[in-house]
Amino acid sequence: MTFSTQFFTRDPQGLPLIEYLHEGGTKIWFSISSEQTEAFENFCRNKLPQLWTDEFDSVNRLDVMIPIDYLENEGITVTRIVQKPGEFVVLFPGAFHAAFCTDFCLSECCYFSSSDWLRSAQDIFELSRYHRLPLLFSLEQLLYRIVNSNEKDQDLHKLAKTKLQNFVKHALGLRTKLKCIGVPLTTPPQKPNAVPWSDVTCDLCEYPCYFTVVFDQDDEIVYCVYHALQEIQRTGNHTGFTVIYNFPTEKLAQYSTLDC
């Protein structure tokens, strides 16, 4: 990118980020630690009232560059880093960051996590679902892959297995409720040149529907199971709704202690 700019933001899933600058000009970063989140948000709320919405993680929605001296005058510490080609920059979880390229820059970045992050991941994802924030990936898919991998860290494998069991119990319970209501279950129909059903997200909360998708054929709306039940209970009508499962109930039950 040439002279590209990134406004202050942070990853809503609380993931750290590593970026490598391959070639080009330098890239200048500004960072505010997670300990100063309240002070930074108060600054944005008071100084940018016309842009502030009081929604969760509103800073991520502000498309504006904030002069660093304005922040420092309010007692907010801003760390400045100059990244040169051939160097890595690591951004810690919860830290706000902004950046701009001084010339053409070719870089790549990658999110990563530790087993400690996995312990609180479900709460983070549920918070994102509640506030309808887009997610980078499906937590259920991540847990499923860890459980079925050759992971040598036994503590991590055990943690992932326990959390996956809880997800599966919940998913099977919601499927049962839909079935009792009379919503038909079907295997995923073919979607040529389209996003696989396992990668779609709920149109209401943007949560990834990895295990189960509920499709309203009449209005062409994709629901997660939670919001499908909510909508059916609200209207009292399930006509046109279909449960599309990416994992048959028998296969899911293998990862759960739930009595089927």
Side-chain angles (χ1 to χ4, degrees), residues 129-145:
R129 167 187 277 188
Y130 179 80
H131 292 285
R132 301 186 178 184
L133 298 177
L135 294 158
L136 292 172
F137 55 87
S138 163
L139 180 58
E140 290 92 328
Q141 184 178 20
L142 175 64
L143 294 171
Y144 178 81
R145 290 188 174 183

mmCIF file of all heavy atoms in Angstrom, residues 129-145:
data_model
loop_
_atom_site.group_PDB
_atom_site.id
_atom_site.type_symbol
_atom_site.label_atom_id
_atom_site.label_comp_id
_atom_site.label_asym_id
_atom_site.label_seq_id
_atom_site.Cartn_x
_atom_site.Cartn_y
_atom_site.Cartn_z
ATOM 1 N N ARG A 129 -21.100 -11.325 19.780
ATOM 2 C CA ARG A 129 -22.406 -11.686 19.209
ATOM 3 C C ARG A 129 -23.477 -10.725 19.712
ATOM 4 O O ARG A 129 -24.306 -10.243 18.923
ATOM 5 C CB ARG A 129 -22.774 -13.112 19.603
ATOM 6 C CG ARG A 129 -24.231 -13.446 19.310
ATOM 7 C CD ARG A 129 -24.639 -14.798 19.861
ATOM 8 N NE ARG A 129 -24.269 -15.877 18.967
ATOM 9 C CZ ARG A 129 -24.647 -17.151 19.152
ATOM 10 N NH1 ARG A 129 -25.389 -17.472 20.183
ATOM 11 N NH2 ARG A 129 -24.267 -18.088 18.307
ATOM 12 N N TYR A 130 -23.461 -10.432 20.991
ATOM 13 C CA TYR A 130 -24.475 -9.550 21.585
ATOM 14 C C TYR A 130 -24.443 -8.167 20.933
ATOM 15 O O TYR A 130 -25.484 -7.553 20.681
ATOM 16 C CB TYR A 130 -24.241 -9.440 23.093
ATOM 17 C CG TYR A 130 -25.218 -8.527 23.794
ATOM 18 C CD1 TYR A 130 -26.501 -8.967 24.113
ATOM 19 C CD2 TYR A 130 -24.853 -7.224 24.133
ATOM 20 C CE1 TYR A 130 -27.406 -8.132 24.744
ATOM 21 C CE2 TYR A 130 -25.754 -6.375 24.766
ATOM 22 C CZ TYR A 130 -27.024 -6.839 25.072
ATOM 23 O OH TYR A 130 -27.927 -6.001 25.699
ATOM 24 N N HIS A 131 -23.220 -7.682 20.650
ATOM 25 C CA HIS A 131 -23.072 -6.347 20.070
ATOM 26 C C HIS A 131 -22.956 -6.383 18.545
ATOM 27 O O HIS A 131 -22.664 -5.368 17.923
ATOM 28 C CB HIS A 131 -21.845 -5.658 20.666
ATOM 29 C CG HIS A 131 -21.995 -5.328 22.124
ATOM 30 N ND1 HIS A 131 -22.767 -4.291 22.560
ATOM 31 C CD2 HIS A 131 -21.469 -5.917 23.237
ATOM 32 C CE1 HIS A 131 -22.717 -4.231 23.879
ATOM 33 N NE2 HIS A 131 -21.943 -5.195 24.313
ATOM 34 N N ARG A 132 -23.166 -7.576 17.968
ATOM 35 C CA ARG A 132 -23.183 -7.738 16.511
ATOM 36 C C ARG A 132 -21.884 -7.268 15.850
ATOM 37 O O ARG A 132 -21.904 -6.541 14.855
ATOM 38 C CB ARG A 132 -24.393 -6.997 15.923
ATOM 39 C CG ARG A 132 -25.712 -7.493 16.489
ATOM 40 C CD ARG A 132 -26.904 -6.873 15.810
ATOM 41 N NE ARG A 132 -28.146 -7.417 16.371
ATOM 42 C CZ ARG A 132 -29.365 -7.128 15.925
ATOM 43 N NH1 ARG A 132 -29.500 -6.317 14.898
ATOM 44 N NH2 ARG A 132 -30.423 -7.657 16.488
ATOM 45 N N LEU A 133 -20.778 -7.700 16.433
ATOM 46 C CA LEU A 133 -19.480 -7.383 15.848
ATOM 47 C C LEU A 133 -19.019 -8.550 14.986
ATOM 48 O O LEU A 133 -19.115 -9.711 15.394
ATOM 49 C CB LEU A 133 -18.443 -7.130 16.962
ATOM 50 C CG LEU A 133 -18.723 -5.962 17.904
ATOM 51 C CD1 LEU A 133 -17.656 -5.899 18.987
ATOM 52 C CD2 LEU A 133 -18.784 -4.651 17.145
ATOM 53 N N PRO A 134 -18.524 -8.292 13.793
ATOM 54 C CA PRO A 134 -18.056 -9.383 12.929
ATOM 55 C C PRO A 134 -16.865 -10.097 13.551
ATOM 56 O O PRO A 134 -16.000 -9.474 14.179
ATOM 57 C CB PRO A 134 -17.665 -8.662 11.633
ATOM 58 C CG PRO A 134 -17.428 -7.243 12.030
ATOM 59 C CD PRO A 134 -18.364 -6.963 13.165
ATOM 60 N N LEU A 135 -16.837 -11.406 13.385
ATOM 61 C CA LEU A 135 -15.770 -12.237 13.942
ATOM 62 C C LEU A 135 -14.851 -12.731 12.841
ATOM 63 O O LEU A 135 -15.270 -12.952 11.711
ATOM 64 C CB LEU A 135 -16.379 -13.424 14.698
ATOM 65 C CG LEU A 135 -17.168 -13.051 15.958
ATOM 66 C CD1 LEU A 135 -18.145 -14.151 16.314
ATOM 67 C CD2 LEU A 135 -16.224 -12.787 17.118
ATOM 68 N N LEU A 136 -13.584 -12.922 13.200
ATOM 69 C CA LEU A 136 -12.601 -13.360 12.220
ATOM 70 C C LEU A 136 -12.762 -14.827 11.857
ATOM 71 O O LEU A 136 -12.446 -15.242 10.737
ATOM 72 C CB LEU A 136 -11.182 -13.134 12.763
ATOM 73 C CG LEU A 136 -10.733 -11.674 12.939
ATOM 74 C CD1 LEU A 136 -9.406 -11.635 13.668
ATOM 75 C CD2 LEU A 136 -10.624 -10.998 11.586
ATOM 76 N N PHE A 137 -13.263 -15.614 12.805
ATOM 77 C CA PHE A 137 -13.371 -17.054 12.580
ATOM 78 C C PHE A 137 -14.379 -17.637 13.560
ATOM 79 O O PHE A 137 -14.869 -16.949 14.470
ATOM 80 C CB PHE A 137 -12.002 -17.730 12.756
ATOM 81 C CG PHE A 137 -11.366 -17.453 14.091
ATOM 82 C CD1 PHE A 137 -11.641 -18.252 15.196
ATOM 83 C CD2 PHE A 137 -10.486 -16.389 14.247
ATOM 84 C CE1 PHE A 137 -11.059 -17.999 16.427
ATOM 85 C CE2 PHE A 137 -9.895 -16.120 15.475
ATOM 86 C CZ PHE A 137 -10.188 -16.931 16.564
ATOM 87 N N SER A 138 -14.687 -18.899 13.366
ATOM 88 C CA SER A 138 -15.612 -19.603 14.243
ATOM 89 C C SER A 138 -14.847 -20.232 15.410
ATOM 90 O O SER A 138 -13.891 -20.985 15.199
ATOM 91 C CB SER A 138 -16.342 -20.698 13.456
ATOM 92 O OG SER A 138 -16.940 -21.633 14.326
ATOM 93 N N LEU A 139 -15.265 -19.928 16.624
ATOM 94 C CA LEU A 139 -14.631 -20.536 17.797
ATOM 95 C C LEU A 139 -14.908 -22.029 17.835
ATOM 96 O O LEU A 139 -14.025 -22.825 18.189
ATOM 97 C CB LEU A 139 -15.147 -19.865 19.069
ATOM 98 C CG LEU A 139 -14.580 -20.396 20.386
ATOM 99 C CD1 LEU A 139 -13.057 -20.281 20.423
ATOM 100 C CD2 LEU A 139 -15.201 -19.652 21.573
ATOM 101 N N GLU A 140 -16.129 -22.440 17.450
ATOM 102 C CA GLU A 140 -16.452 -23.852 17.415
ATOM 103 C C GLU A 140 -15.544 -24.602 16.446
ATOM 104 O O GLU A 140 -15.078 -25.710 16.733
ATOM 105 C CB GLU A 140 -17.919 -24.049 17.003
ATOM 106 C CG GLU A 140 -18.923 -23.622 18.049
ATOM 107 C CD GLU A 140 -19.353 -22.164 17.846
ATOM 108 O OE1 GLU A 140 -18.518 -21.364 17.364
ATOM 109 O OE2 GLU A 140 -20.508 -21.837 18.173
ATOM 110 N N GLN A 141 -15.266 -23.995 15.298
ATOM 111 C CA GLN A 141 -14.388 -24.625 14.315
ATOM 112 C C GLN A 141 -12.965 -24.748 14.859
ATOM 113 O O GLN A 141 -12.300 -25.769 14.664
ATOM 114 C CB GLN A 141 -14.389 -23.816 13.023
ATOM 115 C CG GLN A 141 -13.562 -24.450 11.908
ATOM 116 C CD GLN A 141 -13.613 -23.643 10.627
ATOM 117 O OE1 GLN A 141 -13.934 -22.452 10.637
ATOM 118 N NE2 GLN A 141 -13.320 -24.282 9.508
ATOM 119 N N LEU A 142 -12.498 -23.715 15.542
ATOM 120 C CA LEU A 142 -11.162 -23.757 16.137
ATOM 121 C C LEU A 142 -11.056 -24.889 17.157
ATOM 122 O O LEU A 142 -10.094 -25.669 17.140
ATOM 123 C CB LEU A 142 -10.845 -22.415 16.803
ATOM 124 C CG LEU A 142 -9.525 -22.348 17.575
ATOM 125 C CD1 LEU A 142 -8.327 -22.532 16.646
ATOM 126 C CD2 LEU A 142 -9.408 -21.022 18.329
ATOM 127 N N LEU A 143 -12.040 -24.995 18.033
ATOM 128 C CA LEU A 143 -12.026 -26.048 19.049
ATOM 129 C C LEU A 143 -12.092 -27.433 18.409
ATOM 130 O O LEU A 143 -11.375 -28.356 18.817
ATOM 131 C CB LEU A 143 -13.208 -25.864 20.001
ATOM 132 C CG LEU A 143 -13.178 -24.604 20.867
ATOM 133 C CD1 LEU A 143 -14.505 -24.424 21.590
ATOM 134 C CD2 LEU A 143 -12.028 -24.658 21.873
ATOM 135 N N TYR A 144 -12.940 -27.563 17.395
ATOM 136 C CA TYR A 144 -13.079 -28.840 16.695
ATOM 137 C C TYR A 144 -11.749 -29.273 16.079
ATOM 138 O O TYR A 144 -11.364 -30.454 16.159
ATOM 139 C CB TYR A 144 -14.162 -28.706 15.629
ATOM 140 C CG TYR A 144 -14.383 -29.947 14.800
ATOM 141 C CD1 TYR A 144 -15.162 -31.003 15.278
ATOM 142 C CD2 TYR A 144 -13.809 -30.073 13.532
ATOM 143 C CE1 TYR A 144 -15.358 -32.142 14.508
ATOM 144 C CE2 TYR A 144 -14.006 -31.209 12.757
ATOM 145 C CZ TYR A 144 -14.782 -32.238 13.257
ATOM 146 O OH TYR A 144 -14.964 -33.364 12.501
ATOM 147 N N ARG A 145 -11.052 -28.315 15.490
ATOM 148 C CA ARG A 145 -9.783 -28.655 14.845
ATOM 149 C C ARG A 145 -8.698 -28.987 15.858
ATOM 150 O O ARG A 145 -7.854 -29.855 15.615
ATOM 151 C CB ARG A 145 -9.349 -27.499 13.940
ATOM 152 C CG ARG A 145 -10.232 -27.359 12.712
ATOM 153 C CD ARG A 145 -9.689 -26.350 11.724
ATOM 154 N NE ARG A 145 -10.471 -26.338 10.500
ATOM 155 C CZ ARG A 145 -10.181 -25.592 9.439
ATOM 156 N NH1 ARG A 145 -9.125 -24.783 9.467
ATOM 157 N NH2 ARG A 145 -10.939 -25.642 8.363
#
